[in-house]
Amino acid sequence: MAETQGTVLIAGLGNEALRDEGIGIHVLRALAGRPLPPHIRLWEGATDGLALLGRLEGVRRLVLVDAMDMRRPAGALAVTPWEQLQRRRPAERTSLHGIGILDALELASTLELLPAEALIVGVQPGEIAPGLDLSPALARALPAAVQATLNAALAPFGAEEKPWRSVAGS
Amino acid sequence: MTSFDVNVHYVTRVEGHGNLQAKVRDGRLEECRWEIPEAPRFFESMIRGRAYYDAPFVTSRICGICSIGHTFAAIQGIENAIGFTPSEQTMLLRQLLIHGETMQSHILHAYYLVAPDLVGAPSVVPLASSHREVVLCAIRLHRLANEWCDLIGGRTTHPISPVVGGWTHLPSAEALKGLRERIVSELPDVQATVELFKAVGVPQFERPTEYLALKLPHEYAWYGGEIASTDGGLTPLPDYKQKVKEFIVPYSTAKRARANRTSYAVGALARVNVNYDQLTPLARQAAETLGLKPICCNPYMNTVAQVVEVAHAMEDALRIIDELLARGIHEEGYAVTVRPGRGVGAVEVPRGTLYHEYTVDEQGRITDANFVIPTNQNHQNIEEDLQALVPSLEGKSTEEITLAMEMLVRAYDPCISCSTHLLDVEFI
């Protein structure tokens, strides 16, 4: 039987001044306006990958929401366990903000700080350019991204069938 | 020493790009350059015509690491221009937030960017395997610094609570007590940091250097004061241009500066050199443990000076919090009366003295602005250090020389510091 105890941290990532790059922040703010169970914590991580490391204590599941280039139509969603992304990570990479999120997760893993369950809700961006609003495609995709994030956060702990397993790659 | 070239492109990750070039022919250093090819950003033009109260919010965006420092240099410059004197409570809170930023930045630099070099790891990720406790210590201190800035500034970076005239939001006494407890609980990690840097040490290299930092009569200066030089003399802030002489070189888009000599340095080492006697007891003890005595002319010791300043920031924050609690926190508002004028603000930000100068008209519009950034003041000194360093490395391999050069640049913690473990090194 699935356990129900534990904290879930939803982290919204990205740069909201670069339109669709900030989708994670938009999702987080949409969630902040909703009644959520007390075991769900929200954190606007923005572009500070390192700060995530200080937020993982006592967290059983980490749900990251971020723009992710999957070479699919704008607004496409994928919910992927971190281990899968880790394997596909490019060897050479850089981030304008010191340490990228996948590096931060790897660091967390090495330090044994990574929660038992870590997954990324990725949204295919349409337009990454200076500006505070989402592109029309991502504005339309926002409710689905919010719902996917919520489903991932609310899924029972330790269950065999994770909702994100069926969403991944869809 | 045979003939070789060092070409390191993009010694960078965060706030810009820097290239290292050295050309040695038959053991003689023919050329050694520290180039900044990044595009100018025009913040001084951007701020002209805007209202005085916009200055801290706009200029804070110059830097994601020193955003608090820019905020206060702007506030101070504007307040000096319009003739406003902040309250004691306002000043205590400003100092407390500056300490928070110093913590954020110094911890990041000393642990994540420099420590891997000192223990021979290529970056912080392998360091996490070999020195787990070290990285956990860094995470705890970094988290404290972020919470600290969140609490006082309203945000981790680009603070929203401090404004011209005072504060839009004040921390409660309860919140300050909470921060005090958190700082006390992290003091053992500061001790561990001192022990770590004592154990690893830094490379030996010295070059006689002039150091500039702000100076106040009764405390280690971070906010305002006069400009002091290790060559002697004090310069009042409004006359900063007489001391800080900016110039340009054709191969770099960043300005440089000199004072009494052909170059000078600012930053943690400069501050400790100028204000050593005003360090808190804990910081003084850390300096003694780490063998840092004024006047130290080893640029690699800048990281050690940062560790000393971490101890200072923590201990001085406890004093400030106690004083705030003893006085009681009072709502004071932030109303100001505008009068036209010119004002200079200067703050010791993690990388050195940051100057903001404003001219404000009778409507409160900014008609002119000038900013002098710490890293720009260090560029010439970095280059002259490199020119002295390379010949001293005779007999070393090109890889060792490149690493020593990169480590020297990193020691200055230039605002390109996050770059330094992702390099494209090309030997010709």
Side-chain angles (χ1 to χ4, degrees), chain A:
Chain A
M1 194 185 137
E3 292 180 49
T4 53
Q5 295 300 306
T7 297
V8 175
L9 177 68
I10 304 179
L13 303 175
N15 182 345
E16 64 168 321
L18 286 174
R19 303 201 71 188
D20 292 354
E21 222 286 302
I23 181 70
I25 308 291
H26 288 271
V27 168
L28 198 87
R29 290 185 186 157
L31 287 170
R34 295 187 178 201
L36 295 172
H39 73 285
I40 296 189
R41 275 194 243 152
L42 301 178
W43 178 56
E44 211 174 281
T47 53
D48 196 347
L50 276 178
L52 179 69
L53 298 173
R55 302 249 166 198
L56 297 176
E57 203 178 320
V59 173
R60 186 149 175 208
R61 178 184 301 151
L62 171 66
V63 181
L64 299 165
V65 195
D66 202 354
M68 192 156 78
D69 185 8
M70 303 170 274
R71 292 170 181 77
R72 294 167 60 193
L77 278 171
V79 187
T80 317
W82 168 67
E83 306 82 19
Q84 277 184 25
L85 283 183
Q86 186 69 355
R87 286 197 294 273
R88 298 173 59 173
R89 195 172 62 143
E92 286 297 321
R93 64 208 176 274
T94 186
S95 161
L96 286 176
H97 298 276
I99 183 164
I101 192 62
L102 291 176
D103 285 320
L105 289 174
E106 188 185 337
L107 198 50
S109 171
T110 308
L111 293 166
E112 297 161 25
L113 295 174
L114 199 67
E117 299 175 8
L119 52 128
I120 298 179
V121 178
V123 187
Q124 176 71 46
E127 292 172 39
I128 294 186
L132 293 172
D133 56 333
L134 293 171
S135 68
L138 256 68
R140 282 193 300 275
L142 183 60
V146 171
Q147 196 54 51
T149 305
L150 212 47
N151 290 347
L154 292 171
F157 290 111
E160 284 298 310
E161 267 309 303
K162 301 291 188 191
W164 55 86
R165 305 253 181 251
S166 53
V167 181
S170 65

Side-chain angles (χ1 to χ4, degrees), chain B residues 180-235:
Chain B
R180 193 187 196 290
E181 279 172 31
R182 289 277 290 116
I183 293 172
V184 169
S185 75
E186 285 299 325
L187 286 174
D189 277 337
V190 174
Q191 198 51 45
T193 306
V194 171
E195 294 301 329
L196 169 74
F197 280 85
K198 185 189 176 191
V200 295
V202 299
Q204 289 302 313
F205 165 72
E206 290 197 346
R207 186 180 70 85
T209 301
E210 178 183 12
Y211 293 93
L212 256 57
L214 294 174
K215 185 149 196 75
L216 287 168
H218 304 299
E219 59 188 290
Y220 193 95
W222 297 93
Y223 187 104
E226 292 185 293
I227 308 160
S229 163
T230 48
D231 284 359
L234 287 172
T235 308

Side-chain angles (χ1 to χ4, degrees), chain B residues 400-423:
Chain B
E400 288 170 313
I401 293 170
T402 306
L403 179 64
M405 290 172 73
E406 288 172 4
M407 282 174 67
L408 189 133
V409 171
R410 248 169 246 156
Y412 276 89
D413 190 9
C415 232
I416 53 164
S417 48
C418 288
S419 67
T420 42
H421 289 284
L422 195 83
L423 293 171

